[in-house]
Amino acid sequence: MEREKQRELLHILEENGRRSAETIATMLGTSIEEVKETIEKLEKEKIIIKYPAIVNWEKVDENDLVTAMIDVKVTPKREVGFDEIAERIYRFPEVQSVYLMSGAYDLSVVIEGKTMRQVAQFVSEKLSALDSVISTTTHFILKKYKHDGVILEKPEDDKRMVVTP
Amino acid sequence: MSMQQMTTNQRLSRTIQQIPPSGIRRFFELASSMEGVVSLGVGEPDFVTPWHMREAAITSLERGYTAYTSNSGMYELREEICRYLSSSFGVGYNPNNEVLITVGASEGIDIALRALLDPGDEVLVVEPCYVSYDPVVRLAGGVPVAVRTSLEDQFKLTPEQLEAQITDRTKAIIFCFPNNPTGSIMTKEELNALARVIEKHDLIVISDEIYAELTYDTEHTSFASLLGMKDRTILLSGFSKAFAMTGWRIGYAAGPEDIIQAMVKIHQYTMLCAPIMGQIAALEALRHGMDDKNRMVESYRQRRNYIVKAFGQIGLTCHKPEGAFYAFPSIASSGMTAEDFAEQLILEQKVAVVPGSVFGDGGALHIRCSYATSMENLEIAIDRMDQFLQKHK
């Protein structure tokens, strides 16, 4: 599949990962086989990494997760720089994401826990205890308005008239 | 003196009485009164104006830009439009006297006709077409003469069809490619063939190019860019469709100085100028909005591909629209008129489409389906139309 089409295909999947190969093929004006092959190739190349669902957990009462973003200052190591410590941190199952940052601190770590206490425990007992970690600052997320490009709060209504000439 | 009041017939001008109300008014009221309607009836983008353009307008208000602009519109915007027309379509205009910013392309059409026509002058209107062409010709004192295109020619205008309707009184021709409602486009070669007829009969062309940015397989050719045509063409366009700015009402007319200046005269005595906030947002759109436009076009193309194939699968003949965001399938096989089809469809399946007859007699056995709506909505609409057709076989 040509580059331009491949990019379009990625956009379609990013918007809705459950769209059938048949529909995608129609939308792109190509064959179903080509779409299937390309998706397989993109998965193999780790360009498509996963097909997650974006859940608005606030609507699911029984599942009240807390999310914290933690600024971490670390001492980089010779040869491996920040990579080694980043890897040690992302292996913890509580950790949702790890980014290397420029500016006031080095790593931004996103943690998800069942309770605030659980998150606090993770930070004090596991994260801060790591050798290279110099300091941490924990920010709890109070409310999510937009997540991964999706507005969670209010869906955009179609404000147009039903029929226009 | 008699206290008797004039009747409506006496009060209103004969011209306005002879113009029928829009063919979809009753239908529109029906559609608006129902809940849960999936609408393919909307002739505007389903995107909201990209944020940076809205932001530009908000900032301009905060800075106090609330006054009139020059009658012809902000000079900066005119200059930017000229740059755009030259780089995109290869036709050069002078921002000083060959461009006018209008209140939507609709105003441009109106004042172009008013600037050109004397009572009784004939204007060729290429059908199916946008609902307002015929009435605005009449309002300007002209006589609209329909030139019909057909499904067999993919709704393109042929030189023969054109020539057949020309008389001594024909002054101008008005057409829109990419077309609303058919989605047809005309290639450069096809337009060139028309240009020779237009030259021969010395006609003025009102070329509505509001959908110029929305083409899916080939690039748009601007009529004014053809050899010898610039001096007889009024190019009309605007920001509504390409940049999802319908509510801002910003359009423009570009053409030969004498005609544009005549239009400025009408515009300055009636509109004065287009709203300044809209002009500022439009400036932002031309300067920084092309990526947004490309993203929207990409999405329309995908939906176009989907809806055309889906129509085929549920048994509606539909030519492949190459521009705008409308599909115009034939409903002849259902045995119903377009009005009945549209009305039954919304009552039974809650899908709104526009009967093709409102776009002129040539559209009588078609419905206009706008695919400027989400893929999810399109899938639901197709599903429901399938059920509808099964039932009315």
Side-chain angles (χ1 to χ4, degrees):
Chain A
M1 187 178 281
E2 53 187 285
R3 259 180 100 86
E4 186 57 26
K5 280 236 166 90
Q6 190 170 301
R7 195 182 58 80
E8 276 190 55
L9 180 136
L10 287 168
H11 277 297
I12 293 172
L13 283 178
E14 194 175 48
E15 201 246 336
N16 180 352
R18 302 187 65 187
R19 218 173 261 314
S20 72
E22 193 191 348
T23 308
I24 295 173
T26 312
M27 289 166 78
L28 295 178
T30 167
S31 70
I32 301 176
E33 288 68 40
E34 202 181 349
V35 168
K36 283 184 177 161
E37 270 168 30
T38 310
I39 291 178
E40 216 169 285
K41 186 180 109 213
L42 290 167
E43 287 169 349
K44 260 196 202 129
E45 289 173 2
K46 294 279 175 209
I47 290 174
I48 297 173
I49 299 163
K50 220 176 166 185
Y51 298 91
I54 295 172
V55 179
N56 189 355
W57 285 110
E58 295 194 359
K59 287 196 163 177
V60 187
D61 297 335
E62 69 267 28
N63 208 331
D64 219 1
L65 290 174
V66 279
T67 310
M69 303 177 85
I70 305 164
D71 312 342
V72 187
K73 277 191 195 166
V74 299
T75 324
K77 283 198 178 151
R78 191 187 293 272
E79 305 274 316
V80 290
F82 292 100
D83 296 352
E84 192 192 65
I85 180 68
E87 192 178 332
R88 286 194 65 186
I89 293 174
Y90 71 58
R91 283 180 195 280
F92 289 111
E94 297 91 331
V95 174
Q96 299 302 310
S97 39
V98 177
Y99 309 108
L100 180 63
M101 310 294 287
S102 69
Y105 56 93
D106 306 306
L107 296 173
S108 174
V109 178
V110 180
I111 306 286
E112 223 168 57
K114 282 209 171 63
T115 60
M116 223 185 244
R117 175 191 292 270
Q118 202 185 47
V119 173
Q121 224 162 18
F122 173 81
V123 176
S124 61
E125 290 174 12
K126 292 182 178 161
L127 194 57
S128 303
L130 293 171
D131 259 2
S132 314
V133 171
I134 302 166
S135 73
T136 62
T137 312
T138 304
H139 313 273
F140 283 101
I141 290 177
L142 302 181
K143 185 171 178 178
K144 282 185 187 169
Y145 294 98
K146 188 175 181 182
H147 183 76
D148 280 356
V150 178
I151 295 166
L152 300 174
E153 265 292 280
K154 53 169 196 206
E156 292 276 342
D157 285 338
D158 196 338
K159 295 188 179 69
R160 301 174 300 167
M161 296 191 286
V162 182
V163 180
T164 58
Chain B
M1 204 173 123
S2 158
M3 293 295 288
Q4 199 186 351
Q5 283 198 333
M6 286 194 285
T7 64
T8 299
N9 277 353
Q10 290 166 323
R11 280 145 75 111
L12 300 178
S13 81
R14 274 190 294 281
T15 311
I16 199 71
Q17 288 185 58
Q18 279 162 7
I19 294 174
S22 165
I24 59 163
R25 199 156 149 193
R26 190 179 62 86
F27 183 71
F28 168 70
E29 274 155 21
L30 180 68
S32 317
S33 68
M34 294 174 70
E35 294 233 331
V37 171
V38 175
S39 180
L40 306 184
V42 190
E44 58 183 321
D46 59 322
F47 300 98
V48 178
T49 310
W51 173 246
H52 59 105
M53 300 165 205
R54 286 186 269 162
E55 227 267 334
I58 293 168
T59 311
S60 78
L61 284 175
E62 283 171 350
R63 288 188 187 162
Y65 285 97
T66 57
Y68 293 134
T69 68
S70 135
N71 290 127
S72 302
M74 290 165 64
Y75 185 76
E76 274 175 292
L77 178 58
R78 280 183 275 149
E79 215 177 21
E80 202 65 47
I81 287 169
C82 292
R83 207 169 291 148
Y84 160 77
L85 290 175
S86 153
S87 66
S88 294
F89 307 119
V91 49
Y93 289 101
N94 182 344
N96 286 305
N97 46 25
E98 294 183 326
V99 180
L100 163 65
I101 312 295
T102 57
V103 180
S106 296
E107 193 221 353
I109 296 165
D110 178 30
I111 60 177
L113 288 163
R114 284 201 267 163
L116 296 177
L117 300 184
D118 282 317
D121 283 346
E122 289 180 358
V123 178
L124 303 178
V125 177
V126 180
E127 287 188 354
C129 67
Y130 179 53
V131 291
S132 81
Y133 295 167
D134 182 290
V136 285
V137 170
R138 289 171 202 258
L139 286 171
V143 179
V145 176
V147 183
R148 267 184 222 163
T149 61
S150 63
L151 180 61
E152 293 75 59
D153 301 322
Q154 286 143 38
F155 299 105
K156 290 168 187 276
L157 175 64
T158 66
E160 296 75 31
Q161 286 164 336
L162 170 61
E163 195 137 30
Q165 301 296 334
I166 295 175
T167 70
D168 293 346
R169 293 163 69 195
T170 310
K171 177 93 183 258
I173 175 168
I174 177 165
F175 55 66
C176 172
F177 291 105
N179 183 268
N180 170 14
T182 65
S184 277
I185 64 155
M186 300 266 296
T187 64
K188 189 170 186 178
E189 292 68 38
E190 289 159 349
L191 288 172
N192 260 324
L194 296 181
R196 301 291 73 86
V197 180
I198 282 160
E199 204 163 38
K200 182 172 143 201
H201 295 276
D202 202 15
L203 304 183
I204 294 167
V205 177
I206 299 174
S207 179
D208 180 351
E209 301 183 21
I210 189 79
Y211 293 101
E213 286 293 342
L214 309 186
T215 59
Y216 306 114
D217 309 309
T218 43
E219 301 249 303
H220 173 73
T221 302
S222 184
F223 196 79
S225 71
L226 303 179
L227 191 65
M229 288 300 113
K230 191 194 150 191
D231 198 44
R232 56 172 76 245
T233 303
I234 308 171
L235 189 168
L236 296 164
S237 192
F239 297 83
S240 291
K241 314 292 180 176
F243 300 103
M245 292 177 67
T246 54
W248 300 80
R249 308 313 303 128
I250 301 294
Y252 54 88
E257 182 180 355
D258 57 338
I259 301 181
I260 293 296
Q261 289 315 309
M263 289 168 67
V264 171
K265 226 191 265 181
I266 308 171
H267 178 78
Q268 77 186 0
Y269 289 128
T270 51
M271 290 293 175
L272 277 79
C273 68
I276 185 169
M277 308 79 175
Q279 294 191 51
I280 288 169
L283 193 56
E284 172 70 18
L286 277 185
R287 286 184 177 161
H288 307 292
M290 286 303 165
D291 286 346
D292 300 282
K293 184 220 72 181
N294 292 338
R295 178 172 51 80
M296 294 189 266
V297 169
E298 175 179 303
S299 157
Y300 294 138
R301 182 198 291 113
Q302 292 165 3
R303 302 174 201 176
R304 187 272 314 248
N305 291 349
Y306 170 77
I307 200 168
V308 172
K309 187 170 178 198
F311 278 143
Q313 284 166 343
I314 65 174
L316 290 179
T317 316
C318 182
H319 88 288
K320 193 174 186 184
E322 292 182 72
F325 36 57
Y326 309 106
F328 203 59
S330 162
I331 47 114
S333 61
S334 71
M336 286 186 244
T337 65
E339 288 86 358
D340 286 346
F341 188 95
E343 192 172 327
Q344 291 303 314
L345 181 63
I346 194 164
L347 288 173
E348 290 175 26
Q349 294 289 344
K350 294 192 174 180
V351 176
V353 298
V354 181
S357 45
V358 307
F359 306 103
D361 294 340
L365 288 174
H366 294 263
I367 49 170
R368 190 193 73 174
C369 302
S370 159
Y371 48 85
T373 188
S374 69
M375 269 299 293
E376 287 73 21
N377 275 346
L378 290 180
E379 282 167 334
I380 298 169
I382 289 292
D383 222 41
R384 293 183 183 178
M385 287 173 86
D386 189 18
Q387 288 179 34
F388 180 79
L389 290 165
Q390 301 276 356
K391 193 183 148 199
H392 292 273
K393 236 180 218 167

